[in-house]
Amino acid sequence: MIYREKYEEFEYERLSPYASKSAETRGRILEEEKCTVRTEYQRDRDRIIHSKALRRLMHKTQVFIAPEDDHYRTRLTHTLEVAQISRTIARGLELNEDLTEAIAMGHDLGHTPFGHSGESCLNSIHPGGFRHNVQSLRVVDVLEKSPSGSPLNLTLEVRDGILNHTGPVKPFTLEGQIVKISDRIAYINHDIDDALRGGIIRFEELPEDCIAVLGDTHSKRINTLVTDMMENSEGKNEIVMSRERTDAMNGLREFMFKNVYKTPWRRDETEKINRMIKQLYNYFLENPGEMPGDMYNLIEVWGVNEAVKDYIASMTDRYALRMYEKVFMPKV
């Protein structure tokens, strides 16, 4: 018995009729011989987990810039929380956990250093703009290579979920739709937790009506939202939430944008980040030969602007700081 085929049979026997079956994947850009042990979605998950791009998320900011406190979230811990929430929902709805996890693990691979401040700056200076979901797809399609030097070559279902985890387009799989909502559930609630820990907001300032609906603790709010999504999506070919819980979640999101994400306490550091990203971007446009070889080699196919954008976006917070110091600070 080929173990992959055994598990594919399990999917048909146990999963919902609405679940994405790995044997029915729409395929990869490049045809490959199938693995005897793992399904197609399990292979995608493993390729992402072993990627350099995922490891770099350990040192990329979620909200707090280059935090010294060990307990603040990073892009990697955010990714793990999204994966956990998504898998809980997928299991409850008898959908494909492997596909859900693969999308969740890959959804933020394209994020810049310094969180949304870095993304906003790169969007303002790069021709054509910059969106981290588009860059995440570019990471898995072009930039990240397997040990043999070949592209990750992920399935269409995973690629669609990564690209459309944010923005107006809904993923075509239910598993991708789960990740899209779980991403918002995760970041709103863990950013509240970090902002409370950092003294940026006080619990008493959180919107009372939203807290009354969702719960007064981190775990209660996540449980409320996860349960609501499962109850309202069961037996349906769509992932949905109740209007009451959706409105409460969006109310907390609006509060966070007003009081945490776009507030005076971030202004000074945001200006410094913008100056750093712009100077590094312009420097490597003028001196592309100083980029690492794998980035420099992109120029021939993609052009210098795209290669420099890829290089800047790939940097971790601390790597960007070291590179800025190396390029612009005097040697004493």
Side-chain angles (χ1 to χ4, degrees), residues 24-190:
E24 298 176 4
T25 175
R26 300 188 188 185
R28 306 177 186 276
I29 296 175
L30 303 173
E31 290 189 14
E32 295 182 17
E33 183 178 350
K34 292 189 175 183
C35 179
T36 59
V37 177
R38 297 167 297 165
T39 68
E40 295 295 84
Y41 300 145
Q42 289 170 346
R43 293 180 83 187
D44 284 358
R45 175 202 60 203
D46 293 351
R47 289 176 182 183
I48 293 170
I49 286 176
H50 290 285
S51 69
K52 298 185 295 296
L54 182 70
R55 294 196 293 275
R56 288 196 298 269
L57 297 184
M58 182 191 319
H59 298 294
K60 292 197 178 191
T61 289
Q62 178 66 25
V63 172
F64 290 85
I65 307 302
E68 296 181 0
D69 191 308
D70 290 340
H71 300 290
Y72 290 123
R73 269 74 170 190
T74 66
R75 286 289 170 200
L76 182 58
T77 57
H78 163 72
T79 293
L80 295 175
E81 292 186 37
V82 174
Q84 178 268 320
I85 293 170
S86 299
R87 286 194 60 181
T88 298
I89 297 165
R91 180 174 296 183
L93 295 175
E94 298 181 319
L95 299 176
N96 196 310
E97 286 187 58
D98 295 323
L99 173 57
T100 305
E101 185 177 23
I103 296 169
M105 297 304 288
H107 81 282
D108 266 359
L109 295 179
H111 257 297
T112 64
F114 306 112
H116 290 291
S117 297
E119 178 175 9
S120 178
C121 179
L122 204 50
N123 180 57
S124 69
I125 61 178
H126 178 65
F130 180 91
R131 291 188 295 146
H132 78 268
N133 57 317
V134 175
Q135 187 68 14
S136 293
L137 184 62
R138 179 167 170 79
V139 169
V140 300
D141 279 355
V142 177
L143 303 180
E144 188 70 39
K145 307 293 184 185
S146 70
S148 65
S150 60
L152 295 190
N153 195 32
L154 305 182
T155 59
L156 182 60
E157 291 81 6
V158 174
R159 295 174 63 248
D160 168 76
I162 290 173
L163 177 63
N164 295 313
H165 80 270
T166 187
V169 179
K170 181 182 293 186
F172 65 77
T173 66
L174 298 193
E175 291 82 2
Q177 293 174 31
I178 286 174
V179 174
K180 189 181 184 82
I181 301 176
S182 296
D183 180 40
R184 181 166 291 195
I185 291 174
Y187 79 69
I188 290 171
N189 285 286
H190 65 51

